[in-house]
Amino acid sequence: TGKSRHYAQQYSLIGHMERVGCVSPKFTYLEFGAGKAEFSSLLNDFLSQSKKVKSEESKEEIKEKDETEHYAKFVLIDRGVFR
């Protein structure tokens, strides 16, 4: 269906971004023509899953109290014209 193809394209784009080093929780992402912000939502889910996998792989759970975690920021830009 069209919706599943759309998701496949978005996941493919995330994979390409990851391959060239453009996926990190330290980044701020701009989504132009955001509409329902589906791409940002999928990217946020991907980052959350990646973070869980990395924390499970590393057995070191010791963190200093003053250490802050990094979370990706998303800026959604849309024209504001709704049909």
Side-chain angles (χ1 to χ4, degrees), residues 13-66:
L13 180 57
I14 291 171
H16 289 293
M17 290 172 61
E18 182 183 36
R19 186 172 44 86
V20 297
C22 292
V23 176
S24 171
K26 296 179 182 179
F27 292 162
T28 298
Y29 297 94
L30 299 170
E31 183 175 351
F32 291 91
K36 296 178 184 176
E38 290 177 356
F39 182 75
S40 292
S41 178
L42 290 173
L43 182 56
N44 188 47
D45 290 345
F46 179 83
L47 287 165
S48 296
Q49 291 301 318
S50 297
K51 191 173 188 177
K52 288 178 187 176
V53 168
K54 287 179 183 175
S55 67
E56 289 174 7
E57 287 176 355
S58 68
K59 300 294 181 186
E60 298 177 22
E61 295 294 329
I62 302 169
K63 287 188 178 181
E64 294 182 25
K65 291 182 181 179
D66 61 345

Side-chain angles (χ1 to χ4, degrees), residues 61-75:
E61 295 294 329
I62 302 169
K63 287 188 178 181
E64 294 182 25
K65 291 182 181 179
D66 61 345
E67 181 182 336
T68 59
E69 293 192 38
H70 294 279
Y71 295 98
K73 295 174 185 69
F74 295 89
V75 178

Side-chain angles (χ1 to χ4, degrees), residues 1-12:
T1 66
K3 190 167 186 156
S4 63
R5 182 173 36 134
H6 188 67
Y7 282 120
Q9 290 172 339
Q10 290 179 339
Y11 281 120
S12 175

